[in-house]
Amino acid sequence: MPRHEVTVSSASLKRKGDHSIAATLLDISIYGCRIEADAVFKEGERVTVTVDEYAPMKATLVWQKTKQAGCRFADALDTEVLRRLTLAS
């Protein structure tokens, strides 16, 4: 699925047992996203991605480089949520 470039600075990531980390959503598709955060992540790490008022999304980090990381959602993102996020950016 194609990725849509966005800039949503109201995103956050949460690791198991950790506090939320402020993040910026850089691109998104129904299967995953690319985020930027002031943190170091490990490939395979499970996180929860939250964007605005939308329901938190469980994800696995599939790559990490500098302050950016790619996440694969555990469940496909609702297409209406994807539409709203891409239109809002």
Side-chain angles (χ1 to χ4, degrees):
M1 294 301 290
R3 291 203 175 247
H4 303 275
E5 287 190 35
V6 296
T7 303
V8 180
S9 59
S10 57
S12 66
L13 288 175
K14 185 173 181 176
R15 297 172 166 151
K16 186 177 181 180
D18 272 353
H19 297 289
S20 291
I21 300 166
T24 300
L25 185 67
L26 301 174
D27 69 31
I28 192 164
S29 77
I30 63 169
Y31 296 114
C33 66
R34 178 169 52 110
I35 55 94
E36 184 173 71
D38 193 18
V40 176
F41 299 100
K42 296 179 186 175
E43 292 177 16
E45 188 173 7
R46 294 178 192 253
V47 295
T48 301
V49 180
T50 304
V51 181
D52 293 331
E53 74 278 3
Y54 301 106
M57 301 166 278
K58 302 274 186 206
T60 302
L61 294 168
V62 292
W63 62 267
Q64 184 271 329
K65 183 176 181 181
T66 315
K67 293 183 178 186
Q68 293 187 9
C71 301
R72 181 179 56 238
F73 299 138
D75 297 310
L77 183 64
D78 181 88
T79 55
E80 181 60 22
V81 173
L82 177 65
R83 186 183 75 77
R84 288 182 184 174
L85 286 170
T86 55
L87 289 176
S89 182

